[in-house]
Amino acid sequence: MNQTADQYHRSEVRDRIRIDWHVPIPMDDGVVLRADVYRPDDDGRYPAVMSYGPYAKGLSFQEAYAPQWEKMVGDHPDVAAGSSNKYQNWEVVDPEKWVPEGYAVVRVDSRGTGWSPGYIDVWATREARDFYECIEWAGQEPWSNGKVGLDGISYYAINQWHVAGLQPPHLTAMVAWEGAADMYRDVTYHGGILSEFCGNWYPRQVEIVQYGLGERARKSPITGESVAGPVTLSDDELARNRADFGADIKRHPLDDQWHRDRSADWSKVKTPFLSAANWGGQGLHPRGNFDAFAKAASDQKWLEVHGDSHWSHFYTDYGRGLQKRFFDHFLKGEDNGWQQQARVILNVRHPGERFVQRSESEWPLAGTRWTSYFLDPEGERLSTEVPARESSVTYNALGEGLTFSTPPLTQQTEITGPITAKLFIAASTKDADIFLAVRVFDPRDDEVVFMGALDPNTPIALGWLRASHRRLDPHRSLPHQPFHSHDRLEPLEPGEVYELDVEVWPTCIVVPSGYRISITLRGKDYEYGGELSEFAKSFHYASRGTGPFLHNDPDDRPPDLFGGEVTLYAGGSRASHVVLPVIPPDRHAA
């Protein structure tokens, strides 16, 4: 083992990999961040695959996220094959599967977490600047070929959009795997309704590895050292060194500068990228991945969409192979046919967790038949025909709501793309929350659900809107994607009818003949009514279909304001409907 002048930095060879532990990376304000670098044990120059985030570079995937690891390797044995798996970390690449292929893997603990001191302020502009400096450091190291790629899931994808907007010179390519991009719409407030996820995630996954936990934190199974730094601070000192993220979110209920500072600026994202989305990621990530492909300024961008859990396909041979082909081309300059790769790779969903891959060239798909399905209270029908007469129906504003269904389909129907709904409603109070679920039922009347990103019983699609946030931004709204301003409250006049445009996140399902399509409007989160698997019962983020993305905060949804009744209007000039992206039969996956 080679010691360096720095008291913590050391270098050694393990498993035929040169590992530099706790490499210091100085920031422009004097804070020194720490990284682990895994690279070939020779004098070659290699491209870097970098991640920067708060989950502690020394924290073992298998120990810290045991249920996810066990399910992933049980479902996908190829994940664990060919590696000792001892260097596996949550949501970043496995060095044992990348270093032998000629890459240097760089894991940076973000400011205030793991082995990096400082103040934690997740996704803030300071973090983006830190990331920029880390990229530039890696691009100029003696072992580097000058090209830096970014790769990782979730947090490690979200901040890729941020740092790409700063355009660091050595940043060459990115793989953003399931990464949100609009902090307000994707992460903290769905349709203006507070999501409880971040308030729970932050203490559960970030605070537990804050720098300064020292001897109180988990130990690295490789080095035996604390994963949260070499010093141990008091609880008061730790609290002073971090933002209260959950409280900050509540202090910013509208889409203000705080949210904008933590969101992508698509006009500045020009780096070549592969954006990988999950059909079942409703409530956090997929919206950002689709928006990236549709809106980013880069002229070299690809979209891939898959199913299964949030973590699985990043590590499978399928996902890793896709990432490597992309990076081999952009970071190594290999002529491997990537430039002929279809710009859109869809794993088209069928009932029974079956996926069929199909190549496309754009998103939304060319030739989409944007088809209006009208809600008809008479018989709770969903039909392409406008109801013959005007009518209305009332439901409990915090209750189970209403479900409208098509008759059994007479032919297979594919729905792939974003969805919108136009609803005409009145409320008995000054506000109302709309929870919209797109659902499919088989001939036995069993609901079709999928293993989603963070819940084993995820429905086809979800959308949300707070009625007082109904104002649209006409410059950013599209026919298939309404864009709400979320910059002011416009309370309802009880009893008055209002027109609402609800954004429903993109989805994909091939609905067989004999199945029914349903739209459910509720006053609370969707709930799956079937039996739960053992994984669903044990996984701390699972619920009954929406995972941790719940909307029950009493401060955000006081009963006196959001209780009462909602009346839905249908037919005539108030023909409430959803617009589904129906794909022509000749485009269907087999």
Side-chain angles (χ1 to χ4, degrees):
M1 182 181 297
N2 299 324
Q3 294 294 134
T4 66
D6 182 273
Q7 62 176 321
Y8 300 121
H9 175 206
R10 62 188 186 277
S11 182
E12 64 176 324
V13 176
R14 287 177 180 249
D15 302 303
R16 301 188 297 278
I17 296 173
R18 168 65 62 180
I19 308 175
D20 299 310
W21 303 106
H22 313 313
V23 182
I25 309 177
M27 298 293 104
D28 59 7
D29 62 354
V31 170
V32 176
L33 305 185
R34 297 278 173 174
D36 291 341
V37 180
Y38 303 77
R39 55 192 173 91
D41 184 30
D42 57 33
D43 295 327
R45 297 169 69 86
Y46 299 97
V49 175
M50 175 179 280
S51 56
Y52 170 103
Y55 296 144
K57 59 186 176 58
L59 188 61
S60 163
F61 191 143
Q62 297 93 316
E63 290 183 1
Y65 300 93
Q68 295 96 311
W69 175 261
E70 291 167 5
K71 179 168 178 56
M72 177 170 65
V73 298
D75 293 345
H76 304 282
D78 54 311
V79 170
S83 172
S84 73
N85 298 296
K86 65 176 68 171
Y87 305 105
Q88 290 278 13
N89 275 191
W90 176 243
E91 300 190 332
V92 294
V93 303
D94 177 6
E96 288 187 276
K97 292 190 176 182
W98 285 80
V99 173
E101 298 291 331
Y103 288 93
V105 173
V106 183
R107 294 174 174 168
V108 186
D109 279 337
S110 58
R111 181 179 293 242
T113 68
W115 272 68
S116 294
Y119 185 82
I120 304 175
D121 192 6
V122 295
W123 293 305
T125 53
R126 178 67 254 184
E127 275 205 352
R129 184 65 203 178
D130 287 347
F131 203 176
Y132 178 107
E133 295 190 26
C134 290
I135 291 167
E136 291 307 289
W137 167 85
Q140 300 174 75
E141 283 293 282
W143 47 259
S144 174
N145 74 348
K147 295 183 178 182
V148 179
L150 307 180
D151 200 1
I153 310 173
S154 191
Y155 199 105
Y156 300 104
I158 295 170
N159 60 15
Q160 291 183 41
W161 307 129
H162 302 168
V163 74
L166 301 180
Q167 301 176 4
H170 287 91
L171 177 57
T172 308
M174 311 187 303
V175 175
W177 201 275
E178 300 189 31
D182 185 317
M183 188 57 57
Y184 190 89
R185 293 161 185 81
D186 295 1
V187 182
T188 60
Y189 287 87
H190 296 140
I193 309 168
L194 175 66
S195 170
E196 297 173 77
F197 171 68
C198 282
N200 295 323
W201 159 82
Y202 187 67
R204 186 190 294 271
Q205 291 186 244
V206 178
E207 290 182 16
I208 63 165
V209 289
Q210 182 176 356
Y211 176 87
L213 275 171
E215 63 186 21
R216 291 186 284 167
R218 288 178 180 264
K219 303 297 186 293
S220 164
I222 305 298
T223 67
E225 299 169 302
S226 167
V227 303
V231 301
T232 302
L233 304 178
S234 69
D235 288 343
D236 286 344
E237 289 173 306
L238 291 169
R240 288 195 294 271
N241 285 340
R242 65 176 182 255
D244 187 340
F245 191 49
D248 285 346
I249 292 169
K250 286 190 173 184
R251 281 192 284 267
H252 297 274
L254 298 176
D255 185 19
D256 58 10
Q257 192 60 44
W258 186 89
H259 283 95
R260 295 295 90 215
D261 286 344
R262 291 162 174 79
S263 300
D265 181 344
W266 297 128
S267 69
K268 296 179 180 178
V269 176
K270 299 181 179 181
T271 305
F273 66 79
L274 170 63
S275 177
N278 188 325
W279 298 121
Q282 305 287 323
L284 186 57
H285 292 306
R287 185 181 185 276
N289 287 108
F290 287 107
D291 273 3
F293 181 76
K295 300 175 182 179
S298 174
D299 59 5
Q300 297 194 82
K301 52 188 178 180
W302 285 262
L303 173 68
E304 184 273 350
V305 198
H306 52 270
D308 212 298
S309 65
H310 180 43
W311 47 87
S312 294
H313 278 306
F314 180 80
Y315 295 96
T316 62
D317 288 348
Y318 162 74
R320 185 169 48 85
L322 199 64
Q323 296 163 53
K324 280 191 174 178
R325 282 185 56 225
F326 175 79
F327 280 141
D328 285 349
H329 175 72
F330 283 102
L331 301 185
K332 293 182 177 181
E334 292 184 6
D335 184 10
N336 60 4
W338 181 265
Q339 285 292 1
Q340 285 72 53
Q341 172 65 53
R343 289 301 178 107
V344 178
I345 308 163
L346 301 183
N347 289 284
V348 178
R349 289 198 301 191
H350 295 247
E353 300 281 357
R354 186 168 71 91
F355 296 84
V356 178
Q357 191 170 116
R358 188 172 75 212
S359 296
E360 299 284 356
S361 57
E362 70 288 303
W363 182 267
L365 304 183
T368 299
R369 297 174 181 170
W370 303 100
T371 307
S372 294
Y373 282 77
F374 295 90
L375 282 58
D376 187 351
E378 186 175 336
E380 297 182 332
R381 291 182 301 220
L382 187 66
S383 171
T384 54
E385 301 294 328
V386 179
R389 63 183 185 86
E390 295 186 19
S391 62
S392 64
V393 60
T394 298
Y395 64 92
N396 183 329
L398 294 175
E400 302 290 337
L402 307 166
T403 296
F404 302 84
S405 300
T406 65
L409 300 183
T410 58
Q411 62 181 11
Q412 176 176 281
T413 302
E414 180 183 336
I415 298 168
T416 297
I419 295 171
T420 65
K422 184 176 288 292
L423 306 177
F424 295 86
I425 66 110
S428 62
T429 62
K430 292 187 176 181
D431 214 339
D433 286 342
I434 303 297
F435 294 79
L436 190 153
V438 180
R439 307 166 72 188
V440 168
F441 292 86
D442 70 15
R444 298 185 306 275
D445 211 30
D446 292 330
E447 185 170 5
V448 175
V449 293
F450 289 85
M451 177 66 220
L454 289 176
D455 197 290
N457 300 295
T458 302
I460 304 305
L462 295 170
W464 308 262
L465 183 64
R466 175 157 289 174
S468 60
H469 286 239
R470 64 192 176 277
R471 177 181 290 271
L472 295 174
D473 181 335
H475 302 293
R476 301 179 71 178
S477 291
L478 299 169
H480 58 267
Q481 185 182 28
F483 191 94
H484 297 87
S485 303
H486 296 301
D487 59 357
R488 72 193 76 178
L489 295 179
E490 295 181 323
L492 308 182
E493 188 66 35
E496 186 172 330
V497 180
Y498 294 89
E499 179 179 338
L500 309 182
D501 294 278
V502 183
E503 177 187 4
V504 182
W505 288 14
T507 192
C508 171
I509 181 67
V510 176
V511 187
S513 174
Y515 285 54
R516 294 183 294 113
I517 301 170
S518 298
I519 301 297
T520 296
L521 303 180
R522 294 168 60 87
K524 58 182 181 179
D525 287 302
Y526 164 90
E527 295 179 25
Y528 172 63
E531 291 295 319
L532 298 183
S533 67
E534 289 305 311
F535 177 74
K537 293 175 183 177
S538 63
F539 181 39
H540 60 262
Y541 274 155
S543 61
R544 279 195 167 270
T546 54
F549 311 114
L550 300 172
H551 306 79
N552 298 318
D553 188 283
D555 296 330
D556 185 62
R557 303 189 70 212
D560 61 335
L561 183 58
F562 292 94
E565 295 181 332
V566 171
T567 300
L568 174 75
Y569 291 83
S573 61
R574 296 169 174 170
S576 294
H577 61 277
V578 296
V579 180
L580 300 181
V582 177
I583 307 304
D586 60 356
R587 299 278 296 278
H588 289 188

